[in-house]
Amino acid sequence: MMSPRKPQREGGVVLEPQKVRIKPPPLYKVMLLNDDFTPMDFVVVVLENFFAMSREQATVVMLRVHREGKGVCGIFPRDVAATKVEQVTAFARRHQHPLACVMEEN
Ligand code: TYC
């Protein structure tokens, strides 16, 4: 953490240090949503390739999404989460599956 700075002299004016209130950057959950058309095997491949899961982990997460309607794939800083959503969506569309991948603040 940065500590508050000493007053700086600049052109004869004393500038008081700003109050330093640093919040940690928000994190975002990346979620898959269930649908009736995307093959289970395809969802498992997505979880392996984009979220670095083992076949076993990927199968557990895929089945949770299938049964409960949605499930968390991972939790990331905003830019990383947004990139995952774009990449998964592009990959699914390229294979003509309607798989939905979304992010929400954690
Ligand atoms: N419900 C799909 C099926 O029965 C499988 C599926 C799982 C689809 C997870 C999307 O995010 C999903 N083929």
Side-chain angles (χ1 to χ4, degrees):
M1 287 289 182
M2 278 197 291
S3 42
R5 285 168 283 121
K6 282 230 195 76
Q8 297 294 306
R9 198 167 263 290
E10 192 174 278
V13 178
V14 176
L15 304 174
E16 288 300 323
Q18 307 257 10
K19 286 251 160 56
V20 179
R21 291 185 188 285
I22 302 170
K23 277 196 285 177
L27 294 175
Y28 291 79
K29 291 188 284 213
V30 174
M31 327 263 308
L32 283 182
L33 308 185
N34 190 35
D35 66 72
D36 292 338
F37 303 104
T38 305
M40 290 183 171
D41 287 354
F42 183 83
V43 178
V44 169
V45 168
V46 164
L47 291 165
E48 288 175 330
N49 291 352
F50 293 95
F51 299 97
M53 294 186 197
S54 67
R55 175 64 53 98
E56 292 72 23
Q57 285 177 292
T59 301
V60 168
V61 173
M62 181 279 293
L63 286 173
R64 176 178 306 135
V65 177
H66 176 70
R67 293 187 185 121
E68 297 176 15
K70 63 179 177 174
V72 178
C73 311
I75 301 177
F76 307 98
R78 185 174 57 209
D79 291 7
V80 177
T83 300
K84 299 280 183 201
V85 168
E86 278 180 18
Q87 290 179 335
V88 169
T89 303
F91 184 65
R93 296 303 169 273
R94 184 143 40 90
H95 292 270
Q96 305 190 333
H97 297 310
L99 181 63
C101 182
V102 300
M103 59 194 271
E104 64 181 49
E105 198 171 341
N106 193 29

